[in-house]
Amino acid sequence: MNDLLYNKKVMCPVCNREIQVTKVKTKGCKVKARDTDMCVHYEDLNVLFYDVWVCENCGYAALQDKFEGLFTRDIAAIKDKISKNWVKRSFTGERDVDKAIEAFKLALLNLKVRNAKSSELAKVCLRIAWLYRDKEDTKKETEFLNFALNSYNDAYSKERFPLDKLDEFTCMYIIAELFRRVGKLDESIQWFSRIVASPQARSNPKLIDMARDQYQLAKDQLAEANA
Ligand SMILES: [Zn+2]
């Protein structure tokens, strides 16, 4: 195994069996660059590949920081709708992009059978889009950017902020940028202008700067499209 990775034992909260999960060592998490939709690129390996843990015994899968803390009704739903049909397979060890996509799609399926909040679906869909970006599959990337966008939009109107660690203005920024990336420039411009015009958003100058840049970019793209 790559020496920036290590295995760790954890208990699966659904089947109560011990499993091995693979984590990235801190020295493997050096950031190289960030895309304008917050996708992080790393120096040595793609840390995102390891962000979903999967139980090989029962098919339970979740983002690692959400792996524990299930409700009793979630466990029942996963056992009934996933474990029953699960064919045992391991996700431990080094992953390539396809294995990572498989793990994330299992996490998404687990969220769906649990009737999870839109913000949780959005977070996983956005990461699946980033994995397809890594694979240079633009069609699938756009498909998952659209899923993420719809779920963030829904979360924005229905859920209470912060959405996990996501504050309101960062969520607005992501919605605006996803609209731009899927080519809905009018909507993108509206959302960016709401951030730029908001006095409260000024408490985060870095976000305002990014919003101004992307607002201008979306306006230029629209002008170009109409030329
Ligand atoms: Zn399990």
Side-chain angles (χ1 to χ4, degrees):
M1 192 160 72
N2 187 318
D3 64 3
L4 294 170
L5 300 172
Y6 66 101
N7 286 344
K8 184 186 147 178
K9 288 178 179 154
V10 295
M11 286 295 281
C12 170
V14 175
C15 66
N16 288 315
R17 277 188 271 183
E18 193 179 74
I19 56 164
Q20 294 247 22
V21 293
T22 302
K23 296 191 62 159
V24 182
K25 292 178 189 168
T26 313
K27 67 176 178 185
C29 300
K30 278 179 242 151
V31 173
K32 187 167 70 182
R34 276 175 221 274
D35 295 341
T36 49
D37 62 356
M38 315 272 181
C39 173
V40 179
H41 299 270
Y42 297 88
E43 295 280 353
D44 302 307
L45 79 177
N46 194 335
V47 175
L48 183 63
F49 285 8
Y50 301 92
D51 211 18
V52 165
W53 291 352
V54 182
C55 173
E56 63 183 73
N57 301 306
C58 72
Y60 170 54
L63 289 171
Q64 56 172 317
D65 63 343
K66 294 274 175 265
F67 197 74
E68 284 161 31
L70 285 174
F71 295 113
T72 314
R73 64 165 187 272
D74 295 330
I75 294 172
I78 292 162
K79 279 184 173 166
D80 185 44
K81 300 213 174 77
I82 292 175
S83 304
K84 266 187 193 169
N85 310 309
W86 177 249
V87 180
K88 186 169 171 168
R89 56 194 191 277
S90 171
F91 285 77
T92 314
E94 207 161 343
R95 288 178 184 172
D96 60 15
V97 66
D98 291 310
K99 194 78 182 174
I101 289 172
E102 196 185 345
F104 270 81
K105 286 189 174 172
L106 276 169
L108 184 60
L109 181 66
N110 272 263
L111 289 175
K112 285 185 175 164
V113 306
R114 289 164 54 194
N115 288 318
K117 288 185 285 187
S118 294
S119 55
E120 292 184 82
L121 297 170
K123 186 174 180 180
V124 170
C125 286
L126 182 55
R127 279 150 187 77
I128 295 174
W130 294 343
L131 291 170
Y132 280 117
R133 183 176 304 163
D134 188 86
K135 213 174 132 83
E136 296 178 11
D137 185 338
T138 316
K139 192 163 168 263
K140 295 296 280 179
E141 180 193 337
T142 308
E143 185 184 326
F144 277 89
L145 288 177
N146 267 307
F147 290 144
L149 173 58
N150 291 339
S151 297
Y152 273 125
N153 233 328
D154 194 58
Y156 185 84
S157 60
K158 291 182 189 153
E159 293 177 35
R160 196 188 282 251
F161 283 95
L163 310 173
D164 196 12
K165 289 162 211 151
L166 189 66
D167 66 78
E168 183 175 349
F169 292 104
T170 309
C171 182
M172 290 170 73
Y173 173 87
I174 291 173
I175 291 171
E177 177 62 7
L178 295 187
F179 268 129
R180 192 190 67 77
R181 282 178 179 256
V182 301
K184 293 183 178 163
L185 297 170
D186 287 319
E187 288 93 334
S188 173
I189 289 165
Q190 272 174 31
W191 279 86
F192 278 129
S193 65
R194 285 172 61 191
I195 306 169
V196 172
S198 164
Q200 293 111 292
R202 279 176 208 143
S203 61
N204 188 342
K206 205 174 153 204
L207 188 78
I208 286 272
D209 278 349
M210 286 166 68
R212 282 202 185 105
D213 287 348
Q214 297 313 102
Y215 176 53
Q216 193 54 50
L217 179 61
K219 286 212 296 192
D220 291 347
Q221 283 178 307
L222 187 66
E224 206 173 300
N226 292 336

